[in-house]
Amino acid sequence: MPSFQTTHRVRHSASDMFELVADVESYPRFVPLCRALRVRRRTENEGVVTLIANMEIGYKAIRETFTSRVTCARAENKILVEYIDGPFKHLENHWIFHDCEEGKACLVEFRIAYEFKSKALGLIMGGMFDAAFRKFAEAFEDRADVVYGKAV
């Protein structure tokens, strides 16, 4: 099963990066391959926000939509994305944010594992997904610079 993980230091606080990643509705503006995203349901229980969202991914003429559960645990600075339905056999990713330098920077841990149901789609999209996931950390850091200003 393809997977990717990275730990990346960014010039923004863990709290800011958590908010940026939790703002899934903004993903089509900057996340590689994300063409559209619609939150179908939002619940909150003891400070943990859970979203059910449809994301449309695409490259050139290929478009696929999948549904996932996004669990945002603010107190732990963790976000978990679990696959529900769509073109994947499996998809799960984790975000963990660690403050460093007294909140002026943080470490962002990003892990993802996925497998397409269709071997043909996996062959077509797999390489693009691998390249896109490698650019995720950079895309979120660039977005944080736009939203929060460039940190020095």
Side-chain angles (χ1 to χ4, degrees):
M1 175 179 331
S3 64
F4 175 75
Q5 69 180 49
T6 184
T7 300
H8 189 78
R9 187 180 183 282
V10 298
R11 300 173 308 268
H12 300 279
S13 71
S15 177
D16 284 349
M17 293 307 294
F18 177 94
E19 291 301 324
L20 192 88
V21 174
D23 181 16
V24 299
E25 290 96 340
S26 294
Y27 284 14
R29 295 184 201 142
F30 70 96
V31 172
L33 303 180
C34 180
R35 301 293 173 235
L37 193 139
R38 183 175 68 86
V39 173
R40 293 178 18 202
R41 185 172 64 221
R42 179 184 308 261
T43 59
E44 184 170 348
N45 185 16
E46 297 182 14
V48 175
V49 174
T50 302
L51 312 170
I52 303 298
N54 291 346
M55 178 186 267
E56 179 185 317
I57 54 173
Y59 178 70
K60 297 187 179 182
I62 299 170
R63 296 276 193 267
E64 292 286 343
T65 300
F66 67 94
T67 304
S68 61
R69 176 182 305 105
V70 182
T71 305
C72 305
R74 154 63 66 211
E76 300 170 21
N77 272 342
K78 293 181 181 179
I79 296 175
L80 170 64
V81 180
E82 300 168 287
Y83 177 71
I84 296 174
D85 187 41
F88 296 95
K89 181 187 265 187
H90 173 83
L91 174 88
E92 182 174 287
N93 78 297
H94 301 259
W95 295 87
I96 305 172
F97 309 92
H98 306 277
D99 264 323
C100 52
E101 295 181 26
E102 299 175 6
K104 295 180 182 174
C106 76
L107 291 177
V108 177
E109 289 182 47
F110 173 77
R111 295 188 314 258
I112 190 162
Y114 68 95
E115 184 177 0
F116 287 100
K117 288 178 187 174
S118 160
K119 289 190 189 281
L121 186 60
L123 288 171
I124 294 168
M125 294 291 287
M128 275 319 234
F129 264 62
D130 287 345
F133 293 144
R134 294 182 193 290
K135 293 181 180 191
F136 266 27
E138 184 179 320
F140 279 90
E141 184 175 3
D142 290 347
R143 179 68 177 165
D145 286 346
V146 168
V147 171
Y148 303 119
K150 286 203 180 247
V152 287

